[in-house]
Amino acid sequence: MALDDFDRQLIAATQGGLPLVPRPYDAVGERLGVSGQQVRERLAQMLETGLIRRIGAVPNHYRLGFTANGMSVWDVDDALVDQLGERIGQLPGVSHCYRRPRRLPSWPYNLFAMLHGRTRAEVEQQAVQLQELLGSACRGHDILYSTAILKKTGLRLRQSQES
Amino acid sequence: MLSPDDARLLERLHGDLPLTERPFADVAAEFGWTEDDVIARLSALLESGVLTRFGPLFQIERAGGLFVLAAMAVPEERFEAVTAQVNAHPEIAHNYRRDHALNMWFVLGTETPAQCAAAIERIEAETGLPVLAFPKEREFFVELKLPLTSGATHGA
């Protein structure tokens, strides 16, 4: 799905958040010179195509007590990584599970999974579960804990299309 | 920590806000609250920083765009200055400090691969530091649903 001008305007108008007013879609429409109905219809299409994952609350995990946030990274046999990645993505407490390229020699890891817990001990426990699941297909791993959020704004499209 | 009512509201709104004329009134009706209650609670949660945002989460990949994870090894004495240089780019959707030799990890969100490559080049030029890019090759799972209401099945 290619973006047209209306899509781009709609993204620009909502990527920072919806106005917290009784009729938020009407308010967005007013800014864009269209009806609230048109805004809702287009947002519904975007949800359908997956351009919008969901419309709702984006929590700050830290403020909710999930202060231990570990990016676990694993060096997994290329022949098995896709099959194992699917299973790891199903484990509770795991998010953002992806296969990514290695950057040898400094970075041997090809499977990334974010682990979330209230304490580092909780995260380490999850990592043990992952390690058991990966078994001998895993040649090494590391957990990179975040120590500060430096920025968290989400997507911000540039207004112009030039690169 | 969250009040039980706030936790209920967030669990509900971790799913979708209705695409109706008065969505907050509709959510309020589910809870037996008023529209004003819902709006006031969400405003307070945003203001206190419990929520970073309330609205649509875009997956720009579906429109040809992309999110790319990237990392840098930033010398400690320059960390603050480099953070400012990196964060100044609108392409940076989020940025985390992590305890590793690669101590800065950020995500670039752009509408085209060319914009992403250009942003990485600008960051390398401005900071004089190499940026390692880790584009997704395959996605297994994305969004975590945190157990917010206490006594939920995930105890401990």
Side-chain angles (χ1 to χ4, degrees), chain B residues 108-124:
Chain B
L108 300 112
T110 59
E111 211 177 321
T112 67
Q115 286 173 344
C116 183
I120 287 177
E121 268 175 42
R122 280 195 294 268
I123 290 169
E124 287 186 323

Side-chain angles (χ1 to χ4, degrees), chain A residues 50-51 55 63 100 103 158, chain B residues 16 48 59 91 95 133-134:
Chain A
L51 178 55
I55 301 173
R63 296 296 309 271
R100 300 184 186 278
R103 297 293 180 202
R158 282 180 173 268
Chain B
D16 275 316
S48 67
Q59 297 192 92
E91 291 86 357
N95 187 0
F134 295 96

Side-chain angles (χ1 to χ4, degrees), chain A residues 8 18 25 50-51 53-58 60 63 96-97 99-100 103 144 147-148 150-151 153 158, chain B residues 13 16-18 48 50 52 54-55 57 59 87 91 93 95 97 111 133-134 137-138 140-143:
Chain A
R8 215 169 268 117
L18 282 175
Y25 307 116
L51 178 55
R53 196 185 289 284
R54 64 181 180 87
I55 301 173
V58 185
N60 179 338
R63 296 296 309 271
H96 298 87
C97 187
R99 173 160 62 83
R100 300 184 186 278
R103 297 293 180 202
L144 280 66
T147 51
L150 305 172
K151 185 175 185 184
T153 48
R158 282 180 173 268
Chain B
L13 290 176
D16 275 316
L17 183 73
S48 67
V50 170
T52 57
F54 185 86
L57 268 80
Q59 297 192 92
N87 286 358
E91 291 86 357
N95 187 0
R97 180 176 181 133
E111 211 177 321
F134 295 96
E137 293 179 333
R138 178 143 172 197
F140 302 112
F141 180 76
V142 182
E143 217 189 353

Side-chain angles (χ1 to χ4, degrees), chain B residues 36-51:
Chain B
D36 284 347
D37 287 338
V38 171
I39 290 176
R41 276 183 193 281
L42 285 176
S43 303
L45 289 167
L46 275 170
E47 201 155 309
S48 67
V50 170
L51 295 184

